[in-house]
Every structure is written in structure tokens, then in C-alpha cells.
Amino acid sequence: MNILVTENLKKYYDMGEVQVKALDGISLSIQSGEFLAIVGSSGSGKSTLLHMLGGLDNPTSGRVVVDGQDISKMSKDELTIFRRRKIGFVFQNYNLLPLMNVYENIILPIKLDGIQPDREYVGQIIAMLGLKEKKYAMPNQLSGGQQQRVALARALAEKPAIILADEPTGNLDSRTSQDVLGLIKTTGRRFGQTIVMITHNEEIAQMAGRIIRLEDGKICGGEDGYAESAE
């Protein structure tokens, strides 16, 4: 079953007299439970595509269907709620709030949704990611790898069906990158989540189940793109 579908997705920017085609007709299907890596050089359009999949930006044309719903037809408020409940984001820069401890950062999206956190579930995530001893630490007391684990825990806390990871290991050393990606893969399998990760790192991309390459806003080759199995 496809949980994420794009149909002839385009995103164009007018830069003076020049039109930049960040995305130029992307049609892509991602199955539920899949771990997909999207790779490409800087300027290839991979970040723009991830933002479209997560409803963080609007396409010039085409559409994005998430779990059977066309998100382009949603109001701003509807999309905000849908995104918060359906999609977890992991960014390169962690985006932790400095005045909140680890636990408070993790449950923040749930609080924003006006519901009580599932403390047992959140506790499982914290233990699984090796954060039990850091539960009440402040972000400035954590290493880069620990901060990225907190960001991952926060993305998982509301039980989203989809995790979108934007260069999640970009600020980490090689060994820590492997550890964090291993955790993303493990949590995805354990909680039955679909993971879409963008990266420029070929070694990191090989940890995914499928790899798609972008170049100049287009998927390189094939009907659904040039897909490689990394299994």
C-alpha cells in the first residue's frame, strides 16, 4: 500500500529573468513501512521534495497525497494538525528548545496538540534511544549525537506513520552517524513507520531499503525513478 504519492510535482522559482526549476515533474510512490533514501548533490531538489512531502511548502503544480489525502486541498490549520499527527520531522540542526529539558522537548508536539502523552510509549522510546540517563538534562549538556537522538525521539513521540529526515547525520561524525541511522532504521521497523531520508552521503544512503537519485529537479531514469535496492 502506498502511503506517499506525488504526481507530476513541480516547484518553480522566478529569480529575476531566470526561472529555477527546483522540482520538474516528480512522480513517486512510497510504500507503507518503506525506508527510502533520496540522494543528490546540492541544488538537486532533494530538500524541496522533502518539504513538499511534509506539507512545509506548496508546489507550483502537481499534487502530494499522504495516506490517501491530497494535502494541497487542506486549509492551513487542517494541514498543521494533519502534519503534526501524521508526520515526524528530523532535521540536521536538531531544533531543540534550549530552555526545555530532554523530556520536555520530546513531548512538546503532543502538548501542542492538546493531548496527554502516552508516558509508557515515550518511556520506551527514551530507553530504546539510550536517553534514560539524560531525561532531565538540558540540550547544552548533550553531545551532537545525543541531541539528534532527542530530535528522533520527539519525531516518534506522537506515533506518526511517516518520518521525514533531512540530512539527519549532517552534523555528526562518521561513527555517530552510523549509530543514529541504525536507530532510525530500528525504530522504523519496530513501530511500523515509513521513513524518507535525504542525504548527500552515499554510505549513509546504503542503509535504506531503496535509493532514488535526483538531478536538476528530476528523478534520474526509470518510471518511478532510478531505484536501487540497498538490502
Side-chain angles (χ1 to χ4, degrees), residues 156-195:
L156 293 168
E158 209 165 7
K159 305 178 184 178
I162 301 161
I163 298 291
L164 300 181
D166 187 352
E167 296 279 8
T169 62
N171 289 330
L172 306 177
D173 60 49
S174 179
R175 181 175 178 178
T176 306
S177 295
Q178 293 288 340
D179 289 344
V180 168
L181 260 296
L183 287 168
I184 290 175
K185 193 169 185 177
T186 299
T187 54
R189 285 176 173 171
R190 178 166 178 177
F191 300 117
Q193 290 159 323
T194 303
I195 301 168

Side-chain angles (χ1 to χ4, degrees), residues 10 92 102 107 131-132 144 206 212 227:
K10 297 180 180 181
Q92 178 178 347
V102 165
I107 65 170
L131 294 169
K132 217 170 180 180
Q206 292 300 319
I212 284 177

Side-chain angles (χ1 to χ4, degrees), residues 88-131:
F89 293 92
V90 182
F91 296 104
Q92 178 178 347
N93 293 323
Y94 322 135
N95 293 337
L96 303 182
L97 296 182
L99 299 181
M100 290 186 172
N101 65 33
V102 165
Y103 186 75
E104 290 167 337
N105 266 285
I106 291 170
I107 65 170
L108 179 61
I110 304 173
K111 291 283 190 179
L112 291 174
D113 219 10
I115 58 178
Q116 289 299 312
D118 182 338
R119 295 187 181 277
E120 183 178 348
Y121 174 75
V122 173
Q124 287 178 10
I125 294 170
I126 288 172
M128 188 175 183
L129 296 178
L131 294 169

